[in-house]
Amino acid sequence: MAQANRREFLQFIGMGTAYAAFPLERQTPQLILYNGNIVTMEAALPRAQAVAIVDGRFLAVGTNDEVRALATARTRSVDLEGKTVTPGFIDAHTHPSYAGLRHLRMVDCDLPSIEKILAAMRERAAKTPPGDWVMGFKYDDTKTAEGRPLALADLDAAVPDHPVFIEHRGGHTGYVNSLAYKKAAVDQKTPDPPGGRFDRDPATGRLNGRVAEHGKDPFEKVMPLQFSRDDYREGVKLISKMMTRTGLTSVHDVLGSPEDLRAYQDARDAGDLLFRVYCFLGVAHFEPMLAAGVRTGLGDDWVRVGAVKLIADGSISERTARLSAPYIGRPDDYGILVTKEDQLYEQAKKAHLAGWQVGTHANGDVAIDQTLRVYERLQKEYPRRDPRFRLEHCTVINDDLVKRIKTLGAIPTPFSTYVYYHGEKMHYYGAERTTHMFALRSFLDAGIPATQASDYPPGEYAPMMALQSEVTRTDRQGNVWGPNQRITVEEAIRVGTVNGAYASYDEHRKGSIAAGKLADLVVLGRDPLKENPATLVTIPVERTMVGGRWVYEA
Ligand SMILES: [Zn+2]
């Protein structure tokens, strides 16, 4: 047997088929997929018809004849019937464990009308003992048919006998009913807390149900937000199911806690982890791990310790990103820097010196400038080979910033689905500024490997939506925002695969379909490269494979 394999091996090398150097006993494929239109994202072999897989990795990639010749009696073969296959997609900035817990315990309020949201809350209340909390999340005030925000009276009428708290999609505000105010001991006379607000009706001065920033704290203190270890595991199971069915095979959890890291491992032990995770740790959790000697890269192909997460400024959707020019219609409002530069430097320095990758949330151009200054200083004072500094979001840029990002070798993770899904918020920024937001064209032209990133829950995560948003720069109402930043479908696929792998030091393990790499792939119902860009989002994901195993089949 060994000899036959050796002959095959030589033969395949000679034929130019991409072939992995596996030990001889591992050269018999367990699975062959053939008759595919396989988009490999490999320059040496951009298209293939078939792949052979063994032990969760690609053994060979090539023509039907080349690959099928490897089959033995023990090989299972699957006819792809001409379907298009791409590498599995990588979401380089998302919050899966956090989102999973919410999907497990809260009502998903991403619904087209207040009426539908109230109906969903009412339905959940009917199954909840009176007096217990009914919680919702993903409510977006700019997306409901009524064209007005949720009001206290809405929630009191729909759910009178349970305290209610609905999180805004952006995460910085909440909507409550009268019973919730009572439980949180907030009444008409309670003053706004520092750094927060209990919103009031401007006409009557009475509480109106909306609470902002630290105004959420008294509610979160009394809400049942303590999750058990089982909840965490179940949350990961649920979200990994949801995400893999859209074609994601790897995610970067960019604000993990030790509980999240444990949850991914627990889910994996239970056989419920369907995607691979690169787990960032918030700066508060970083010190104990540093003390334990952990650094970027510890783990395995399923769960790996990633970077330390720092935060420079606020958010795009809630207009707290720190900009050099004010928000449209708010001449004195430039947004907020949440961390001072010297403090950011001290945090980043500690991580940098310990051999950790550093990722800093920086949306506005002022925050990006500050973050780059910190990174540039670190590389000057303590040069490190290949630190791959990350700029999380990196939303509003200019030519000078792009040059510095390139020089530093830093990696931006701009929102991929924002233009398409949150287009109604783009007028906060104005047409001119949107020509250099989520600036993939600028990044790619400069040779910067920007990634695909959803930030879910705030943003949607389906890779096909990311493709449509990045290629068309058009929202769901047909408005075009920053068409100069359009990229091609092929480039968008590369952003979502190869570049995502690079951002976590995984370029030798994943991101493309090549012999030796992890067998992570997606089977699509139609070919995105032949699709009308305006309908990319409707391409069905038929199957998703992670490590040679189908984790989703339509
Ligand atoms: Zn985020």
Side-chain angles (χ1 to χ4, degrees):
M1 188 178 108
Q3 217 166 21
N5 275 333
R6 200 184 307 274
R7 234 186 352 261
E8 271 177 4
F9 178 74
L10 295 171
Q11 187 186 8
F12 273 84
I13 289 288
M15 288 168 70
T17 304
Y19 198 95
F22 279 84
L24 289 178
E25 70 273 15
R26 294 230 197 120
Q27 287 178 16
T28 301
Q30 293 157 325
L31 178 65
I32 283 176
L33 309 178
Y34 65 101
N35 270 343
N37 167 37
I38 301 173
V39 179
T40 66
M41 302 316 288
E42 283 285 325
L45 186 73
R47 294 291 180 279
Q49 292 176 308
V51 294
I53 294 166
V54 66
D55 289 347
R57 288 175 184 266
F58 296 115
L59 174 68
V61 181
T63 64
N64 285 332
D65 290 346
E66 288 166 342
V67 174
R68 295 193 76 188
L70 296 173
T72 69
R74 284 179 298 161
T75 305
R76 220 158 33 84
S77 291
V78 174
D79 185 350
L80 292 169
E81 298 169 333
K83 293 281 162 59
T84 296
V85 173
T86 68
F89 284 88
I90 298 169
D91 190 335
H93 183 123
T94 172
H95 305 276
S97 174
Y98 169 96
L101 285 169
R102 274 152 184 76
H103 278 288
L104 203 62
R105 290 277 174 267
M106 301 185 188
V107 176
D108 186 342
C109 292
D110 181 13
L111 294 166
S113 67
I114 288 178
E115 194 191 328
K116 287 209 164 81
I117 292 169
L118 296 177
M121 294 298 285
R122 208 180 290 122
E123 196 186 315
R124 180 66 60 96
K127 294 182 222 154
T128 307
D132 284 5
W133 285 82
V134 176
M135 298 179 287
F137 77 124
K138 279 171 74 183
Y139 163 63
D140 194 337
D141 62 312
T142 58
K143 283 192 174 55
T144 50
E146 290 84 351
R148 63 168 181 87
L150 262 174
L152 178 62
D154 294 326
L155 294 172
D156 279 344
V159 185
D161 302 323
H162 302 74
V164 165
F165 188 96
I166 299 180
E167 277 181 5
H168 191 276
R169 183 148 197 168
H172 295 245
T173 52
Y175 294 77
V176 303
N177 68 354
S178 292
L179 200 48
Y181 279 126
K182 208 165 162 189
K183 292 253 181 189
V186 172
D187 64 26
Q188 304 295 348
K189 295 193 198 78
T190 313
D192 285 348
R197 216 165 44 225
F198 306 124
D199 275 7
R200 291 158 194 277
D201 183 319
T204 64
R206 298 189 69 78
L207 294 168
N208 70 0
R210 183 176 184 269
V211 296
E213 302 292 349
H214 285 296
K216 296 186 303 161
D217 297 354
F219 299 87
E220 288 173 347
K221 242 176 251 157
V222 292
M223 276 155 59
L225 287 175
Q226 303 74 30
F227 300 105
S228 70
R229 186 168 176 173
D230 284 349
D231 289 338
Y232 270 92
R233 194 197 63 242
E234 282 295 314
V236 166
K237 175 182 178 175
L238 179 60
I239 195 76
S240 78
K241 219 176 200 170
M242 291 170 61
M243 287 183 154
T244 48
R245 64 185 301 150
T246 69
L248 290 171
T249 56
S250 288
V251 296
H252 299 185
D253 182 329
V254 292
L255 197 53
S257 63
E259 289 78 15
D260 297 319
L261 189 54
R262 187 181 63 191
Y264 293 123
Q265 295 174 82
D266 284 350
R268 181 206 182 162
D269 288 347
D272 293 330
L273 185 69
L274 304 182
F275 51 37
R276 306 180 193 279
V277 191
Y278 186 64
C279 199
F280 282 45
L281 285 147
V283 69
H285 302 300
F286 159 65
E287 298 263 353
M289 296 196 67
L290 181 64
V294 175
R295 71 170 78 151
T296 301
L298 184 73
D300 60 19
D301 291 334
W302 285 94
V303 183
R304 201 182 289 282
V305 174
V308 60
K309 169 77 172 288
L310 310 178
I311 300 178
D313 71 341
S315 91
I316 288 295
S317 66
E318 288 156 279
R319 283 179 274 189
T320 49
R322 181 67 167 87
L323 305 168
S324 60
Y327 286 87
I328 301 295
R330 299 179 173 189
D332 300 320
D333 187 356
Y334 293 79
I336 300 168
L337 279 176
V338 301
T339 312
K340 290 210 178 76
E341 184 166 332
D342 52 348
Q343 195 186 353
L344 199 64
Y345 169 78
E346 289 307 325
Q347 292 172 345
K349 178 179 157 186
K350 208 171 279 176
H352 182 71
L353 288 178
W356 281 66
Q357 189 182 28
V358 181
T360 305
H361 167 118
N363 266 309
D365 49 354
V366 171
I368 297 166
D369 173 54
Q370 172 189 286
T371 304
L372 282 171
R373 241 187 345 261
V374 166
Y375 290 166
E376 286 158 351
R377 187 175 157 197
L378 285 174
Q379 263 315 67
K380 200 165 159 220
E381 294 172 354
Y382 311 99
R384 222 178 94 196
R385 203 180 63 80
D386 201 13
R388 298 195 198 184
F389 293 115
R390 292 179 45 149
L391 293 154
E392 302 306 320
H393 311 318
C394 198
T395 305
V396 182
I397 52 98
N398 58 48
D399 292 347
D400 172 59
L401 295 176
V402 170
K403 260 188 229 133
R404 289 162 62 198
I405 293 168
K406 174 63 186 170
T407 304
L408 198 60
I411 301 165
T413 63
F415 299 112
S416 305
T417 57
Y418 206 99
V419 171
Y420 174 81
Y421 199 74
H422 288 313
E424 80 280 357
K425 297 181 182 77
M426 296 304 287
H427 67 269
Y428 301 157
Y429 294 88
E432 199 282 322
R433 197 157 24 202
T434 59
T435 63
H436 38 267
M437 290 175 71
F438 330 114
L440 281 177
R441 181 77 274 149
S442 302
F443 292 138
L444 298 188
D445 285 351
I448 296 166
T451 65
Q452 185 178 108
S454 68
D455 201 29
Y456 189 75
E460 288 294 300
Y461 53 77
M464 291 302 118
M465 189 190 292
L467 260 49
Q468 177 157 333
S469 192
E470 293 164 352
V471 170
T472 68
R473 298 284 296 197
T474 302
D475 69 23
R476 293 184 293 172
Q477 289 73 40
N479 304 305
V480 179
W481 301 103
N484 59 312
Q485 292 296 345
R486 283 177 179 149
I487 61 172
T488 68
V489 174
E490 180 124 20
E491 286 170 329
I493 295 173
R494 176 167 297 274
V495 163
T497 56
V498 174
N499 292 3
Y502 181 80
S504 58
Y505 294 91
D506 279 317
E507 67 271 25
H508 301 299
R509 283 186 277 260
K510 60 193 182 190
S512 65
I513 296 177
K517 285 197 172 178
L518 296 164
D520 300 351
L521 57 82
V522 186
V523 181
L524 300 170
R526 299 194 302 273
D527 183 352
L529 293 155
K530 295 197 179 118
E531 184 80 8
N532 174 351
T535 55
L536 282 162
V537 71
T538 66
I539 293 178
V541 171
E542 299 197 340
R543 290 196 249 188
T544 306
M545 173 178 281
V546 180
R549 182 167 80 92
W550 297 116
V551 294
Y552 168 70
E553 292 184 83

